[in-house]
Amino acid sequence: MDSPFLEPRIGIVRKVVRSRKLVLALAAVITFAIVQVISHLIISTNLLDGIRGSSPPPPPPPPSFKDTPLMPGPPPGTQGIWGQFFGQSASRKCHELPIPEDYWILSGEDTPAFVEIPHLSDISVGESVCVRVIVPPKPANLTAAFVPLPDMPWDSILLDMVGAATGISVPVKLSYVNDDRVERHDGVHIYQADVELRDADVYRPEGYIEFRDALWNPEGELVPQEYKPEELKISGLSQVMVTDKYRSSEYSLWRYLDLPLCTESDVDGRWVSVGMIPFDASVLPLPDNLGRVWMPYKCRLQRISYSDFAKCAIEKYPRMHWYGDSNLRRVMKKISTLGEWCSTEEDRNGNACRCEDYTVPFERFSIHARDTFLDLDPVTGGNTLAGETDYARVPENKTRFAIFKMEGLTERNMPPWDARFQNGLVKKFGEPDAVIVSLVNWDAAFNSYEYFANQVKLLIGYLEDTYPVTSKLIIRTGQYHCCYSDQTRTARKYSQLRNGYFNDMHIGMIKDALSDRYSVSVWDVASIAQRRPLVGRQESTQCYSNHVRSEVVEVENQVLFNALCN
Ligand SMILES: *[C@@H]1O[C@H](CO)[C@@H](O)[C@H](O)[C@H]1NC(C)=O
Ligand SMILES: *[C@@H]1O[C@H](CO)[C@@H](O)[C@H](O)[C@H]1NC(C)=O
Protein backbone atom coordinates (compact mmCIF):
# COMPACT_ATOMS: atom_id res chain seq x y z
CA MET A 1 0.00 0.00 0.00
CA ASP A 2 2.69 2.49 -0.96
CA SER A 3 1.56 6.00 -1.72
CA PRO A 4 1.84 6.52 -5.43
CA PHE A 5 4.04 9.57 -5.18
CA LEU A 6 6.34 8.39 -2.44
CA GLU A 7 9.35 6.67 -3.87
CA PRO A 8 11.30 4.41 -1.62
CA ARG A 9 14.47 6.10 -0.55
CA ILE A 10 17.16 3.88 0.63
CA GLY A 11 19.89 4.17 3.14
CA ILE A 12 21.61 7.09 4.76
CA VAL A 13 24.42 9.06 3.34
CA ARG A 14 27.57 7.47 4.59
CA LYS A 15 30.13 9.18 2.38
CA VAL A 16 31.12 12.79 2.72
CA VAL A 17 29.50 14.64 -0.13
CA ARG A 18 31.86 16.90 -1.99
CA SER A 19 31.13 20.58 -1.65
CA ARG A 20 29.82 21.32 -5.17
CA LYS A 21 27.48 18.43 -5.03
CA LEU A 22 26.43 19.52 -1.60
CA VAL A 23 25.45 23.01 -2.72
CA LEU A 24 23.36 21.58 -5.54
CA ALA A 25 21.80 19.06 -3.27
CA LEU A 26 20.98 21.60 -0.60
CA ALA A 27 19.29 23.87 -3.11
CA ALA A 28 17.17 21.00 -4.30
CA VAL A 29 16.43 19.94 -0.80
CA ILE A 30 15.27 23.41 0.22
CA THR A 31 12.93 23.64 -2.75
CA PHE A 32 11.55 20.26 -1.91
CA ALA A 33 11.21 21.20 1.73
CA ILE A 34 8.89 24.05 0.86
CA VAL A 35 6.73 21.74 -1.23
CA GLN A 36 6.73 19.23 1.60
CA VAL A 37 5.69 21.74 4.23
CA ILE A 38 2.80 22.92 2.09
CA SER A 39 1.67 19.41 1.31
CA HIS A 40 1.99 18.51 4.98
CA LEU A 41 -0.30 21.35 5.90
CA ILE A 42 -2.82 20.18 3.35
CA ILE A 43 -2.64 16.64 4.63
CA SER A 44 -2.96 17.80 8.25
CA THR A 45 -6.05 19.81 7.45
CA ASN A 46 -7.56 16.83 5.67
CA LEU A 47 -6.67 14.63 8.58
CA LEU A 48 -8.62 16.70 11.04
CA ASP A 49 -11.49 17.10 8.58
CA GLY A 50 -11.65 13.37 8.21
CA ILE A 51 -11.92 12.92 11.93
CA ARG A 52 -13.92 15.86 13.09
CA GLY A 53 -15.86 17.13 10.08
CA SER A 54 -19.60 16.80 10.22
CA SER A 55 -20.34 16.75 6.51
CA PRO A 56 -19.56 13.62 4.52
CA PRO A 57 -16.37 13.72 2.52
CA PRO A 58 -16.41 13.98 -1.24
CA PRO A 59 -16.41 10.57 -2.87
CA PRO A 60 -12.85 9.34 -3.03
CA PRO A 61 -11.31 9.62 -6.47
CA PRO A 62 -10.14 6.35 -7.91
CA PRO A 63 -6.45 5.95 -7.22
CA SER A 64 -4.83 6.50 -10.58
CA PHE A 65 -1.76 8.26 -11.79
CA LYS A 66 -3.87 11.11 -13.10
CA ASP A 67 -4.81 11.98 -9.54
CA THR A 68 -1.30 11.86 -8.27
CA PRO A 69 -0.29 15.35 -7.26
CA LEU A 70 2.64 16.69 -9.19
CA MET A 71 5.43 16.35 -6.77
CA PRO A 72 9.03 16.79 -7.80
CA GLY A 73 11.15 13.79 -6.96
CA PRO A 74 14.44 14.25 -5.24
CA PRO A 75 17.31 15.18 -7.53
CA PRO A 76 19.59 12.26 -8.32
CA GLY A 77 22.17 11.55 -5.67
CA THR A 78 20.29 13.20 -2.83
CA GLN A 79 17.86 10.47 -1.87
CA GLY A 80 19.73 9.83 1.35
CA ILE A 81 19.65 13.39 2.66
CA TRP A 82 16.12 13.68 1.47
CA GLY A 83 14.79 10.66 3.29
CA GLN A 84 16.75 11.48 6.41
CA PHE A 85 15.60 15.05 6.83
CA PHE A 86 12.14 15.03 5.35
CA GLY A 87 11.13 11.57 6.30
CA GLN A 88 8.99 11.17 3.22
CA SER A 89 9.73 7.57 2.45
CA ALA A 90 7.62 4.50 2.47
CA SER A 91 7.03 2.30 5.46
CA ARG A 92 9.85 -0.08 6.41
CA LYS A 93 9.63 -3.39 8.18
CA CYS A 94 11.84 -4.08 11.19
CA HIS A 95 13.74 -6.84 9.41
CA GLU A 96 14.94 -4.30 6.84
CA LEU A 97 16.37 -2.04 9.51
CA PRO A 98 19.72 -3.10 10.97
CA ILE A 99 20.33 -2.84 14.69
CA PRO A 100 23.37 -0.71 15.51
CA GLU A 101 26.09 -3.06 16.78
CA ASP A 102 26.88 -0.78 19.73
CA TYR A 103 23.43 -1.37 21.20
CA TRP A 104 24.63 -4.79 22.29
CA ILE A 105 27.20 -3.33 24.68
CA LEU A 106 24.96 -0.79 26.40
CA SER A 107 24.85 -0.92 30.17
CA GLY A 108 21.79 -0.19 32.23
CA GLU A 109 23.99 1.73 34.65
CA ASP A 110 24.53 4.48 32.05
CA THR A 111 21.64 4.02 29.62
CA PRO A 112 18.02 3.73 30.65
CA ALA A 113 15.75 1.48 28.64
CA PHE A 114 14.40 3.33 25.62
CA VAL A 115 11.98 3.16 22.72
CA GLU A 116 13.17 3.79 19.20
CA ILE A 117 11.44 4.15 15.87
CA PRO A 118 14.42 3.34 13.64
CA HIS A 119 12.82 4.57 10.45
CA LEU A 120 10.87 7.72 11.13
CA SER A 121 8.62 8.61 8.26
CA ASP A 122 5.05 9.47 7.53
CA ILE A 123 3.05 6.53 6.32
CA SER A 124 -0.30 5.87 4.72
CA VAL A 125 -3.20 4.24 6.49
CA GLY A 126 -2.72 0.48 6.64
CA GLU A 127 1.08 0.62 6.51
CA SER A 128 3.24 -0.34 9.45
CA VAL A 129 5.91 1.34 11.50
CA CYS A 130 8.78 -0.53 13.15
CA VAL A 131 9.00 0.12 16.89
CA ARG A 132 11.92 -1.11 18.99
CA VAL A 133 12.58 -1.28 22.69
CA ILE A 134 16.14 -1.57 23.97
CA VAL A 135 16.57 -2.73 27.54
CA PRO A 136 20.22 -2.60 28.69
CA PRO A 137 20.92 -4.88 31.65
CA LYS A 138 20.97 -3.72 35.23
CA PRO A 139 22.78 -5.78 37.84
CA ALA A 140 20.21 -8.53 38.12
CA ASN A 141 19.64 -11.01 40.85
CA LEU A 142 20.98 -13.94 38.91
CA THR A 143 20.31 -16.35 41.72
CA ALA A 144 16.63 -15.47 41.72
CA ALA A 145 14.24 -18.30 41.03
CA PHE A 146 12.20 -16.37 38.49
CA VAL A 147 12.38 -17.50 34.88
CA PRO A 148 10.17 -16.63 31.91
CA LEU A 149 7.58 -19.05 30.55
CA PRO A 150 8.84 -20.96 27.48
CA ASP A 151 9.69 -18.62 24.57
CA MET A 152 8.64 -15.60 26.58
CA PRO A 153 10.82 -12.57 27.34
CA TRP A 154 12.56 -11.58 30.56
CA ASP A 155 10.95 -8.16 30.61
CA SER A 156 7.25 -7.41 30.65
CA ILE A 157 6.74 -4.24 28.64
CA LEU A 158 3.48 -2.41 28.20
CA LEU A 159 3.67 -0.31 25.05
CA ASP A 160 1.12 1.27 22.72
CA MET A 161 1.09 3.62 19.79
CA VAL A 162 -1.38 6.31 20.76
CA GLY A 163 -3.05 8.72 18.36
CA ALA A 164 -2.82 12.37 19.45
CA ALA A 165 -6.14 13.53 18.01
CA THR A 166 -8.17 10.33 18.30
CA GLY A 167 -6.70 8.79 21.46
CA ILE A 168 -6.80 5.46 19.61
CA SER A 169 -4.46 3.02 21.32
CA VAL A 170 -2.77 0.29 19.29
CA PRO A 171 -0.77 -2.30 21.22
CA VAL A 172 2.84 -2.85 20.22
CA LYS A 173 3.22 -6.62 20.27
CA LEU A 174 6.90 -6.87 20.95
CA SER A 175 9.05 -9.91 20.38
CA TYR A 176 12.78 -10.45 20.67
CA VAL A 177 14.83 -9.47 17.65
CA ASN A 178 16.28 -12.40 15.80
CA ASP A 179 19.68 -12.62 17.49
CA ASP A 180 21.12 -15.22 19.86
CA ARG A 181 22.45 -12.60 22.24
CA VAL A 182 19.00 -11.43 23.18
CA GLU A 183 17.84 -14.26 25.38
CA ARG A 184 20.64 -14.02 27.93
CA HIS A 185 19.29 -12.86 31.23
CA ASP A 186 22.28 -10.55 31.80
CA GLY A 187 22.47 -9.30 28.21
CA VAL A 188 20.88 -6.41 26.35
CA HIS A 189 17.28 -7.24 25.47
CA ILE A 190 16.10 -5.82 22.18
CA TYR A 191 12.47 -6.14 21.16
CA GLN A 192 10.63 -5.00 18.08
CA ALA A 193 7.27 -5.04 16.35
CA ASP A 194 5.84 -3.88 13.06
CA VAL A 195 2.75 -1.98 14.11
CA GLU A 196 0.08 -1.52 11.50
CA LEU A 197 -1.74 1.80 11.91
CA ARG A 198 -5.13 2.02 10.29
CA ASP A 199 -6.57 5.35 11.37
CA ALA A 200 -5.27 8.73 10.25
CA ASP A 201 -3.59 10.53 13.14
CA VAL A 202 -0.19 11.35 14.61
CA TYR A 203 0.97 8.48 16.81
CA ARG A 204 3.48 8.38 19.64
CA PRO A 205 4.71 5.42 21.63
CA GLU A 206 3.54 5.36 25.25
CA GLY A 207 4.41 2.79 27.84
CA TYR A 208 6.73 1.46 30.49
CA ILE A 209 8.42 -1.66 31.78
CA GLU A 210 6.18 -3.58 34.15
CA PHE A 211 8.80 -6.06 35.35
CA ARG A 212 12.37 -7.11 34.60
CA ASP A 213 14.08 -10.40 35.43
CA ALA A 214 10.94 -12.49 34.75
CA LEU A 215 9.40 -11.15 37.94
CA TRP A 216 6.11 -11.15 36.03
CA ASN A 217 6.04 -14.93 36.27
CA PRO A 218 5.63 -16.20 39.84
CA GLU A 219 5.32 -19.87 38.96
CA GLY A 220 5.12 -22.65 41.52
CA GLU A 221 5.92 -21.55 45.07
CA LEU A 222 6.88 -18.02 44.01
CA VAL A 223 4.62 -15.15 44.99
CA PRO A 224 3.59 -12.07 43.01
CA GLN A 225 6.19 -9.32 43.16
CA GLU A 226 5.56 -5.68 43.83
CA TYR A 227 4.52 -3.66 40.77
CA LYS A 228 7.14 -0.94 40.34
CA PRO A 229 6.93 0.26 36.74
CA GLU A 230 10.15 1.52 35.19
CA GLU A 231 10.19 4.41 32.78
CA LEU A 232 10.98 3.92 29.12
CA LYS A 233 12.77 6.86 27.53
CA ILE A 234 10.84 8.01 24.50
CA SER A 235 12.28 10.76 22.34
CA GLY A 236 9.96 13.66 21.53
CA LEU A 237 10.79 13.07 17.88
CA SER A 238 9.30 9.60 17.92
CA GLN A 239 6.07 10.32 16.20
CA VAL A 240 4.54 9.02 13.05
CA MET A 241 1.95 10.73 10.95
CA VAL A 242 -0.51 8.38 9.32
CA THR A 243 -2.42 9.92 6.48
CA ASP A 244 -5.44 8.92 4.51
CA LYS A 245 -4.88 11.15 1.57
CA TYR A 246 -8.18 10.76 -0.21
CA ARG A 247 -10.11 9.53 2.82
CA SER A 248 -10.43 6.48 0.67
CA SER A 249 -8.94 4.01 3.14
CA GLU A 250 -10.94 0.84 3.60
CA TYR A 251 -10.65 1.53 7.35
CA SER A 252 -12.06 5.06 7.16
CA LEU A 253 -14.84 5.68 9.66
CA TRP A 254 -16.78 7.22 6.80
CA ARG A 255 -16.92 3.80 5.22
CA TYR A 256 -17.60 1.80 8.35
CA LEU A 257 -21.25 1.23 7.51
CA ASP A 258 -20.24 -0.28 4.18
CA LEU A 259 -18.33 -3.08 5.90
CA PRO A 260 -19.91 -6.54 6.08
CA LEU A 261 -21.38 -7.55 9.44
CA CYS A 262 -18.97 -9.38 11.74
CA THR A 263 -19.37 -13.14 11.89
CA GLU A 264 -16.28 -13.88 14.01
CA SER A 265 -15.72 -13.01 17.65
CA ASP A 266 -11.96 -12.50 17.51
CA VAL A 267 -11.42 -9.69 15.05
CA ASP A 268 -9.08 -6.78 15.56
CA GLY A 269 -10.40 -3.27 16.06
CA ARG A 270 -10.04 -0.04 18.00
CA TRP A 271 -11.94 2.08 20.49
CA VAL A 272 -13.15 5.34 18.95
CA SER A 273 -14.70 8.31 20.77
CA VAL A 274 -18.39 8.59 20.00
CA GLY A 275 -17.89 12.26 19.08
CA MET A 276 -15.71 11.21 16.16
CA ILE A 277 -18.24 8.87 14.58
CA PRO A 278 -19.37 10.51 11.32
CA PHE A 279 -22.82 8.85 11.41
CA ASP A 280 -25.53 8.11 13.94
CA ALA A 281 -23.68 6.05 16.56
CA SER A 282 -26.88 4.47 17.87
CA VAL A 283 -26.49 1.71 15.30
CA LEU A 284 -23.29 0.63 17.07
CA PRO A 285 -22.93 -1.25 20.34
CA LEU A 286 -23.08 1.09 23.34
CA PRO A 287 -19.97 3.07 24.31
CA ASP A 288 -17.89 2.17 27.37
CA ASN A 289 -17.60 4.42 30.41
CA LEU A 290 -14.97 6.51 28.60
CA GLY A 291 -17.39 7.32 25.78
CA ARG A 292 -15.63 5.05 23.30
CA VAL A 293 -17.15 2.51 20.97
CA TRP A 294 -15.47 -0.69 19.87
CA MET A 295 -15.13 -0.80 16.09
CA PRO A 296 -13.51 -3.70 14.26
CA TYR A 297 -11.37 -2.75 11.27
CA LYS A 298 -12.66 -5.20 8.70
CA CYS A 299 -16.23 -5.86 9.68
CA ARG A 300 -19.10 -4.02 11.32
CA LEU A 301 -20.84 -4.65 14.60
CA GLN A 302 -24.50 -3.85 14.91
CA ARG A 303 -26.27 -3.31 18.21
CA ILE A 304 -28.24 -6.44 18.95
CA SER A 305 -30.79 -6.08 21.71
CA TYR A 306 -31.05 -8.82 24.30
CA SER A 307 -34.53 -9.64 22.99
CA ASP A 308 -33.17 -10.01 19.49
CA PHE A 309 -30.38 -12.17 20.80
CA ALA A 310 -32.96 -14.36 22.52
CA LYS A 311 -34.92 -14.64 19.26
CA CYS A 312 -31.76 -15.54 17.37
CA ALA A 313 -30.76 -18.11 19.97
CA ILE A 314 -34.22 -19.72 19.89
CA GLU A 315 -33.86 -20.13 16.17
CA LYS A 316 -30.18 -21.02 15.83
CA TYR A 317 -28.96 -22.21 19.24
CA PRO A 318 -31.94 -23.61 21.14
CA ARG A 319 -29.58 -25.34 23.55
CA MET A 320 -26.29 -23.95 24.82
CA HIS A 321 -23.79 -25.10 27.43
CA TRP A 322 -21.66 -22.51 29.18
CA TYR A 323 -18.63 -23.25 31.34
CA GLY A 324 -16.94 -20.46 33.23
CA ASP A 325 -16.19 -18.32 36.24
CA SER A 326 -17.51 -15.07 37.69
CA ASN A 327 -16.92 -13.26 34.41
CA LEU A 328 -19.53 -15.52 32.86
CA ARG A 329 -21.83 -14.76 35.79
CA ARG A 330 -21.63 -11.09 34.81
CA VAL A 331 -22.41 -11.98 31.19
CA MET A 332 -25.46 -13.96 32.39
CA LYS A 333 -26.67 -11.14 34.59
CA LYS A 334 -26.94 -8.98 31.50
CA ILE A 335 -28.52 -11.68 29.35
CA SER A 336 -31.05 -12.95 31.89
CA THR A 337 -32.31 -9.44 32.68
CA LEU A 338 -32.43 -8.56 28.96
CA GLY A 339 -29.86 -5.84 29.61
CA GLU A 340 -31.43 -4.34 32.68
CA TRP A 341 -28.57 -5.30 35.00
CA CYS A 342 -26.32 -2.23 35.39
CA SER A 343 -28.40 -0.22 32.97
CA THR A 344 -28.81 2.96 35.00
CA GLU A 345 -25.96 5.39 35.37
CA GLU A 346 -26.20 5.24 39.14
CA ASP A 347 -25.87 1.46 39.12
CA ARG A 348 -23.03 1.54 36.64
CA ASN A 349 -20.89 3.61 38.96
CA GLY A 350 -21.59 1.36 41.92
CA ASN A 351 -19.14 -1.30 42.99
CA ALA A 352 -21.18 -4.26 41.70
CA CYS A 353 -21.21 -2.96 38.14
CA ARG A 354 -17.70 -1.55 38.20
CA CYS A 355 -16.08 -4.57 39.75
CA GLU A 356 -17.44 -6.98 42.29
CA ASP A 357 -21.00 -8.32 42.30
CA TYR A 358 -20.20 -11.42 44.32
CA THR A 359 -22.10 -10.45 47.47
CA VAL A 360 -25.02 -8.73 45.80
CA PRO A 361 -28.24 -10.80 45.79
CA PHE A 362 -29.58 -11.53 42.33
CA GLU A 363 -33.10 -12.69 41.67
CA ARG A 364 -32.84 -14.43 38.31
CA PHE A 365 -30.56 -17.25 39.43
CA SER A 366 -28.49 -18.33 42.37
CA ILE A 367 -25.03 -16.95 41.90
CA HIS A 368 -23.56 -19.65 44.16
CA ALA A 369 -25.05 -22.68 42.40
CA ARG A 370 -22.58 -24.92 40.58
CA ASP A 371 -25.15 -25.72 37.87
CA THR A 372 -27.69 -23.18 36.67
CA PHE A 373 -30.39 -23.71 34.08
CA LEU A 374 -32.05 -20.79 32.41
CA ASP A 375 -34.80 -20.72 29.84
CA LEU A 376 -34.48 -17.54 27.85
CA ASP A 377 -37.18 -15.85 25.83
CA PRO A 378 -37.36 -12.39 24.26
CA VAL A 379 -40.07 -11.06 26.55
CA THR A 380 -39.39 -12.28 30.07
CA GLY A 381 -35.64 -12.88 29.77
CA GLY A 382 -33.87 -15.72 31.52
CA ASN A 383 -35.72 -17.69 34.18
CA THR A 384 -34.59 -20.65 36.20
CA LEU A 385 -36.46 -23.87 35.62
CA ALA A 386 -39.16 -24.51 38.17
CA GLY A 387 -40.12 -28.16 38.71
CA GLU A 388 -38.34 -29.33 35.56
CA THR A 389 -37.51 -33.01 35.52
CA ASP A 390 -36.30 -33.34 31.95
CA TYR A 391 -33.26 -31.05 31.63
CA ALA A 392 -32.61 -32.18 28.09
CA ARG A 393 -35.95 -30.83 26.90
CA VAL A 394 -36.15 -27.38 25.30
CA PRO A 395 -39.56 -25.73 25.69
CA GLU A 396 -41.18 -24.19 22.65
CA ASN A 397 -40.17 -20.60 21.89
CA LYS A 398 -37.33 -20.68 24.38
CA THR A 399 -33.65 -21.35 24.39
CA ARG A 400 -32.21 -23.33 27.26
CA PHE A 401 -28.85 -22.53 28.82
CA ALA A 402 -27.02 -24.97 31.05
CA ILE A 403 -24.42 -22.93 32.93
CA PHE A 404 -21.64 -24.78 34.72
CA LYS A 405 -19.66 -22.81 37.24
CA MET A 406 -15.94 -23.51 37.10
CA GLU A 407 -12.91 -22.03 38.76
CA GLY A 408 -10.92 -22.69 35.62
CA LEU A 409 -9.35 -26.13 35.57
CA THR A 410 -7.88 -25.64 39.03
CA GLU A 411 -8.21 -27.95 41.99
CA ARG A 412 -10.31 -25.26 43.64
CA ASN A 413 -13.39 -26.67 41.92
CA MET A 414 -15.66 -28.45 44.39
CA PRO A 415 -16.45 -31.10 43.23
CA PRO A 416 -13.53 -31.47 40.77
CA TRP A 417 -14.29 -29.97 37.38
CA ASP A 418 -14.04 -33.28 35.56
CA ALA A 419 -16.72 -34.95 37.71
CA ARG A 420 -19.41 -33.36 35.54
CA PHE A 421 -18.13 -35.02 32.43
CA GLN A 422 -18.16 -38.47 33.93
CA ASN A 423 -21.92 -38.84 34.29
CA GLY A 424 -23.31 -38.74 30.76
CA LEU A 425 -23.57 -35.00 30.61
CA VAL A 426 -25.16 -34.83 27.19
CA LYS A 427 -27.65 -37.57 27.95
CA LYS A 428 -28.79 -35.58 30.95
CA PHE A 429 -28.65 -32.09 29.50
CA GLY A 430 -29.10 -32.66 25.78
CA GLU A 431 -26.88 -32.05 22.76
CA PRO A 432 -26.07 -28.37 22.63
CA ASP A 433 -25.82 -26.29 19.48
CA ALA A 434 -23.03 -24.28 21.05
CA VAL A 435 -20.62 -24.86 23.93
CA ILE A 436 -18.85 -21.87 25.44
CA VAL A 437 -15.79 -22.54 27.58
CA SER A 438 -14.18 -19.79 29.63
CA LEU A 439 -10.92 -20.63 31.41
CA VAL A 440 -7.55 -19.02 32.26
CA ASN A 441 -8.54 -16.44 34.90
CA TRP A 442 -8.20 -18.90 37.77
CA ASP A 443 -5.60 -20.99 36.05
CA ALA A 444 -3.11 -18.16 35.50
CA ALA A 445 -3.81 -16.86 39.00
CA PHE A 446 -3.25 -20.09 40.91
CA ASN A 447 -1.58 -22.77 38.81
CA SER A 448 1.57 -23.41 36.89
CA TYR A 449 1.40 -23.49 33.12
CA GLU A 450 2.37 -27.15 33.12
CA TYR A 451 -0.49 -28.07 35.41
CA PHE A 452 -2.84 -26.05 33.23
CA ALA A 453 -1.56 -27.69 30.04
CA ASN A 454 -2.21 -31.13 31.51
CA GLN A 455 -5.71 -30.18 32.58
CA VAL A 456 -6.45 -28.73 29.13
CA LYS A 457 -5.40 -32.06 27.63
CA LEU A 458 -7.89 -33.82 29.88
CA LEU A 459 -10.59 -31.31 29.03
CA ILE A 460 -10.04 -31.83 25.30
CA GLY A 461 -10.62 -35.56 25.80
CA TYR A 462 -13.83 -34.90 27.69
CA LEU A 463 -15.11 -32.43 25.10
CA GLU A 464 -14.49 -34.98 22.36
CA ASP A 465 -16.17 -37.78 24.25
CA THR A 466 -19.10 -35.64 25.30
CA TYR A 467 -20.11 -33.48 22.39
CA PRO A 468 -21.12 -34.35 18.84
CA VAL A 469 -19.24 -32.55 16.08
CA THR A 470 -22.38 -30.52 15.43
CA SER A 471 -21.81 -28.62 18.68
CA LYS A 472 -20.05 -25.37 17.90
CA LEU A 473 -17.16 -24.87 20.35
CA ILE A 474 -16.45 -21.31 21.45
CA ILE A 475 -13.44 -20.55 23.63
CA ARG A 476 -13.77 -17.36 25.60
CA THR A 477 -10.32 -15.98 26.43
CA GLY A 478 -9.33 -15.13 29.97
CA GLN A 479 -9.44 -11.47 30.85
CA TYR A 480 -6.58 -9.16 29.91
CA HIS A 481 -4.52 -8.17 32.91
CA CYS A 482 -2.11 -5.34 33.46
CA CYS A 483 -1.10 -2.49 35.65
CA TYR A 484 -0.88 -4.06 39.10
CA SER A 485 0.22 -7.10 40.95
CA ASP A 486 -1.90 -8.79 43.59
CA GLN A 487 -0.23 -8.10 46.92
CA THR A 488 -3.20 -9.30 48.98
CA ARG A 489 -3.13 -12.61 50.81
CA THR A 490 -4.94 -14.22 47.88
CA ALA A 491 -1.74 -13.62 45.89
CA ARG A 492 -3.23 -14.16 42.46
CA LYS A 493 -0.34 -14.65 40.07
CA TYR A 494 -1.89 -13.04 37.05
CA SER A 495 0.09 -10.65 34.89
CA GLN A 496 -0.04 -9.31 31.38
CA LEU A 497 2.33 -11.91 29.96
CA ARG A 498 1.09 -14.87 32.03
CA ASN A 499 -2.53 -14.30 31.06
CA GLY A 500 -1.53 -13.82 27.43
CA TYR A 501 0.54 -17.02 27.48
CA PHE A 502 -2.20 -19.10 29.12
CA ASN A 503 -4.70 -17.77 26.59
CA ASP A 504 -2.57 -18.55 23.57
CA MET A 505 -1.49 -21.92 24.91
CA HIS A 506 -4.95 -23.36 25.54
CA ILE A 507 -6.48 -21.89 22.38
CA GLY A 508 -3.65 -23.44 20.38
CA MET A 509 -4.07 -26.81 22.09
CA ILE A 510 -7.83 -26.95 21.62
CA LYS A 511 -7.67 -25.83 18.01
CA ASP A 512 -4.90 -28.29 17.20
CA ALA A 513 -6.80 -31.15 18.74
CA LEU A 514 -10.33 -30.42 17.61
CA SER A 515 -10.62 -27.96 14.75
CA ASP A 516 -10.40 -30.62 12.06
CA ARG A 517 -13.75 -32.02 13.21
CA TYR A 518 -15.45 -29.30 15.22
CA SER A 519 -16.12 -25.69 14.48
CA VAL A 520 -13.81 -24.04 17.04
CA SER A 521 -13.92 -20.28 17.43
CA VAL A 522 -12.56 -17.76 19.90
CA TRP A 523 -14.47 -15.09 21.79
CA ASP A 524 -11.52 -12.79 22.30
CA VAL A 525 -12.41 -10.49 25.16
CA ALA A 526 -8.72 -10.05 26.10
CA SER A 527 -7.74 -8.15 22.99
CA ILE A 528 -10.77 -5.88 23.27
CA ALA A 529 -9.60 -4.86 26.75
CA GLN A 530 -5.98 -4.59 25.67
CA ARG A 531 -6.94 -1.95 23.10
CA ARG A 532 -8.64 0.33 25.60
CA PRO A 533 -6.74 3.54 26.37
CA LEU A 534 -4.37 2.98 29.28
CA VAL A 535 -6.62 4.90 31.63
CA GLY A 536 -9.34 2.33 30.92
CA ARG A 537 -7.04 -0.60 31.52
CA GLN A 538 -5.90 0.97 34.77
CA GLU A 539 -9.44 0.68 36.12
CA SER A 540 -8.48 -2.88 36.99
CA THR A 541 -6.10 -1.60 39.67
CA GLN A 542 -9.25 -0.88 41.67
CA CYS A 543 -10.60 -4.37 41.06
CA TYR A 544 -8.62 -7.30 42.39
CA SER A 545 -10.98 -9.86 40.87
CA ASN A 546 -9.92 -8.38 37.51
CA HIS A 547 -13.53 -8.12 36.33
CA VAL A 548 -14.23 -5.56 33.65
CA ARG A 549 -16.87 -2.91 34.21
CA SER A 550 -20.42 -3.66 33.10
CA GLU A 551 -20.06 -1.31 30.12
CA VAL A 552 -17.26 -3.51 28.83
CA VAL A 553 -19.23 -6.70 29.62
CA GLU A 554 -21.88 -5.21 27.36
CA VAL A 555 -19.38 -4.80 24.51
CA GLU A 556 -18.02 -8.33 25.01
CA ASN A 557 -21.60 -9.62 24.76
CA GLN A 558 -22.24 -7.67 21.58
CA VAL A 559 -19.16 -9.18 19.98
CA LEU A 560 -20.48 -12.67 20.76
CA PHE A 561 -24.05 -11.90 19.68
CA ASN A 562 -22.87 -10.52 16.36
CA ALA A 563 -20.75 -13.60 15.71
CA LEU A 564 -23.59 -15.95 16.61
CA CYS A 565 -26.46 -14.13 14.96
CA ASN A 566 -25.23 -12.18 11.90
C1 LIG B 1 17.64 -12.52 45.11
O1 LIG B 1 16.72 -13.59 44.92
C2 LIG B 1 16.51 -14.38 46.07
C3 LIG B 1 15.60 -15.54 45.67
O2 LIG B 1 14.48 -15.11 44.96
C4 LIG B 1 15.93 -13.50 47.17
O3 LIG B 1 15.76 -14.26 48.35
C5 LIG B 1 16.88 -12.33 47.46
O4 LIG B 1 16.30 -11.46 48.40
C6 LIG B 1 17.16 -11.56 46.17
N1 LIG B 1 18.15 -10.53 46.39
C7 LIG B 1 18.00 -9.30 45.89
C8 LIG B 1 19.14 -8.36 46.15
O5 LIG B 1 17.03 -8.92 45.24
C1 LIG C 1 -44.56 -20.07 19.90
O1 LIG C 1 -44.53 -19.02 18.97
C2 LIG C 1 -45.45 -19.17 17.90
C3 LIG C 1 -45.23 -18.06 16.91
O2 LIG C 1 -45.06 -16.83 17.57
C4 LIG C 1 -46.87 -19.19 18.47
O3 LIG C 1 -47.79 -19.39 17.43
C5 LIG C 1 -46.99 -20.31 19.50
O4 LIG C 1 -48.25 -20.29 20.10
C6 LIG C 1 -45.91 -20.20 20.56
N1 LIG C 1 -45.96 -21.35 21.42
C7 LIG C 1 -45.99 -21.27 22.76
C8 LIG C 1 -46.03 -22.54 23.53
O5 LIG C 1 -45.98 -20.18 23.35
Side-chain angles (χ1 to χ4, degrees), residues 141 143-146:
N141 186 347
T143 63
F146 285 83

Side-chain angles (χ1 to χ4, degrees), residues 198-225:
R198 291 178 276 200
D199 295 284
D201 203 342
V202 176
Y203 291 82
R204 279 180 49 73
E206 284 182 18
Y208 54 85
I209 299 181
E210 295 191 286
F211 295 101
R212 285 181 182 242
D213 304 319
L215 295 181
W216 54 268
N217 184 35
E219 280 268 280
E221 299 303 310
L222 300 171
V223 295
Q225 301 295 296

Side-chain angles (χ1 to χ4, degrees), residues 439-496:
L439 305 171
V440 170
N441 301 307
W442 286 69
D443 306 283
F446 298 112
N447 279 125
S448 73
Y449 82 96
E450 281 173 323
Y451 182 90
F452 182 54
N454 285 326
Q455 300 299 299
V456 172
K457 255 183 238 160
L458 289 177
L459 175 69
I460 289 169
Y462 284 120
L463 291 174
E464 260 182 312
D465 291 347
T466 303
Y467 292 116
V469 295
T470 49
S471 299
K472 185 177 163 67
L473 304 181
I474 300 168
I475 312 165
R476 178 184 156 113
T477 63
Q479 304 301 118
Y480 172 78
H481 179 90
C482 77
C483 308
Y484 71 95
S485 152
D486 184 2
Q487 300 291 293
T488 70
R489 280 175 51 190
T490 318
R492 302 171 184 88
K493 296 163 189 265
Y494 41 41
S495 69
Q496 188 195 183

Side-chain angles (χ1 to χ4, degrees), residues 159-228:
L159 189 66
D160 307 293
M161 292 297 280
V162 180
T166 61
I168 288 173
S169 178
V170 181
V172 179
K173 295 184 171 174
L174 294 165
S175 43
Y176 280 142
V177 297
N178 189 11
D179 190 298
D180 291 342
R181 287 170 283 189
V182 89
E183 285 177 43
R184 291 177 45 179
H185 183 190
D186 60 351
V188 178
H189 300 152
I190 305 182
Y191 304 92
Q192 65 188 13
D194 292 304
V195 187
E196 195 178 333
L197 296 170
R198 291 178 276 200
D199 295 284
D201 203 342
V202 176
Y203 291 82
R204 279 180 49 73
E206 284 182 18
Y208 54 85
I209 299 181
E210 295 191 286
F211 295 101
R212 285 181 182 242
D213 304 319
L215 295 181
W216 54 268
N217 184 35
E219 280 268 280
E221 299 303 310
L222 300 171
V223 295
Q225 301 295 296
E226 209 184 321
Y227 196 78
K228 291 183 289 189

Side-chain angles (χ1 to χ4, degrees), residues 314 395-398:
I314 289 166
E396 208 179 320
N397 298 346
K398 292 191 189 289

